[in-house]
């Protein structure tokens, strides 16, 4: 078992997926579900790579879920950190941003990145804290929740990517997006993240020319990193295969990725963050 803590959604939060981490295949089974969560458990599985997750539509104080694993029984309760008093040897990857971080759903760049590092012998946790359909500014209030994710591992890396909704829906500028991402980065550093990583955005066919200009205007700002808010900047926009969103080998719909597109991103990020991983 390579991940020994998770955070349960707050009471009344609907359909929030919480990733438990990477477990040995078939290592996790549900042995007890208490209280009102009983009818709201969805998608618990040990699928490819032993990934386990669930969604809770309602969780009240006192509810808990108990898992039996090969390393003993562990219980999760509302907003409870398991073994948070000690940090496990390894690195946790936390992703924030928009739907670029989710596609393709079953094989996003984050999953591919974690799997590749795990296969190389690294102990790596993964929390996909990204969202769809909201800007960084709209999600500003949840920044403090990043604090909950730094207690499980000895090193924590935050990956920040997105900005589509910020421009497309809210009319924000490239400078606005950069400033918002910088704010997230500075907050995360204060919460104890060891390495803050920003990714530039690839091509898209979904925007008007003026919108696309603003969307891509964040890229040179991120690369310049004039405020030194980011420890690493991965220039996804500079990768040739990321420069034509009409290429169906890498893009599924003109914005989101195919498995191959996500693999390109995962490979670039892996190269950039490998020096920052925990090592014994």
């Amino acid at each position: 078992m390579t991940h020994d803590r998770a955070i349960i959604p707050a009471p009344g939060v609907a359909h929030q997926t919480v990733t438990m981490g990477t477990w040995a295949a078939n290592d996790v089974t549900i042995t007890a579900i208490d209280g009102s969560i009983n009818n709201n458990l969805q998608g618990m599985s040990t699928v490819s790579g032993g990934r386990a997750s669930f969604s809770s539509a309602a969780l009240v104080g006192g509810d808990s879920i108990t898992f039996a694993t090969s390393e003993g029984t562990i219980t999760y309760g509302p907003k409870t950190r398991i073994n948070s008093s000690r940090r496990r040897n390894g690195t946790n990857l936390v992703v924030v941003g928009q739907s670029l971080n989710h596609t393709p759903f079953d094989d996003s760049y984050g999953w591919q990145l974690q799997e590749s590092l795990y296969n190389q012998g690294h102990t790596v946790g993964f929390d996909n804290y990204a969202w769809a359909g909201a800007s960084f500014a709209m999600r500003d209030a949840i920044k403090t929740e990043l604090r909950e994710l730094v207690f499980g591992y000895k090193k924590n890396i935050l990956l920040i990517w997105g900005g589509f909704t910020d421009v497309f829906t809210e009319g924000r500028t490239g400078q606005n997006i950069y400033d918002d991402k910088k704010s997230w980065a500075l907050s995360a550093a204060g919460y104890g993240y060891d390495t803050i990583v920003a990714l530039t955005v690839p091509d898209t066919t979904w925007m008007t020319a003026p919108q696309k200009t603003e969307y891509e205007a964040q890229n040179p700002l991120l690369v310049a990193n004039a405020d030194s808010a980011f420890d690493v900047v991965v220039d996804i926009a500079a990768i040739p295969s990321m420069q034509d969103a009409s290429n169906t080998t890498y893009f599924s719909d003109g914005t989101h990725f195919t498995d191959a597109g996500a693999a390109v991103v995962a490979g670039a990020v892996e190269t950039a963050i490998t020096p920052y991983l925990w090592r014994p």
Side-chain angles (χ1 to χ4, degrees), residues 32-203:
I33 306 174
D34 305 318
S36 65
I37 196 173
N38 187 51
N39 295 320
N40 296 299
L41 197 69
Q42 304 171 16
M44 183 64 202
S45 63
T46 50
V47 295
S48 177
R51 299 167 186 149
S53 65
F54 65 90
S55 297
S56 168
L59 185 66
V60 299
D63 286 349
S64 64
I65 305 174
T66 300
F67 296 94
T69 79
S70 61
E71 295 186 7
T73 299
I74 53 177
T75 300
Y76 298 97
K79 303 297 281 187
T80 298
R81 291 189 296 271
I82 304 301
N83 292 334
S84 61
S85 61
R86 66 173 178 85
R87 293 195 177 197
R88 188 178 186 85
N89 292 342
T91 305
N92 197 34
L93 307 176
V94 179
V95 172
V96 296
Q98 293 148 356
S99 57
L100 287 176
N101 299 283
H102 286 300
T103 59
F105 184 76
D106 292 328
D107 209 16
S108 68
Y109 94 87
W111 283 127
Q112 294 192 44
L113 173 62
Q114 183 195 32
E115 188 168 23
S116 176
L117 293 172
Y118 182 78
N119 288 339
Q120 295 173 55
H122 294 284
T123 299
V124 181
F126 177 56
D127 287 286
N128 193 333
Y129 217 63
W131 57 83
S135 68
F136 281 91
M138 289 174 64
R139 291 295 188 181
D140 189 72
I142 71 168
K143 277 193 300 190
T144 56
E145 296 183 25
L146 295 177
R147 289 180 298 193
E148 302 288 343
L149 305 176
V150 299
F151 294 97
Y153 288 87
K154 288 188 175 177
K155 297 205 76 170
N156 294 275
I157 298 176
L158 181 69
L159 299 141
I160 305 175
W161 199 22
F164 185 94
T165 304
D166 308 59
V167 174
F168 190 79
T169 303
E170 298 184 35
R172 294 177 69 76
T173 67
Q175 183 67 56
N176 292 151
I177 299 170
Y178 170 79
D179 289 340
D180 290 340
K181 290 182 176 180
K182 179 177 71 173
S183 175
W184 278 74
L186 295 176
S187 293
Y191 299 152
Y193 284 81
D194 302 282
T195 307
I196 314 296
V197 181
L199 286 68
T200 61
V201 294
D203 187 36

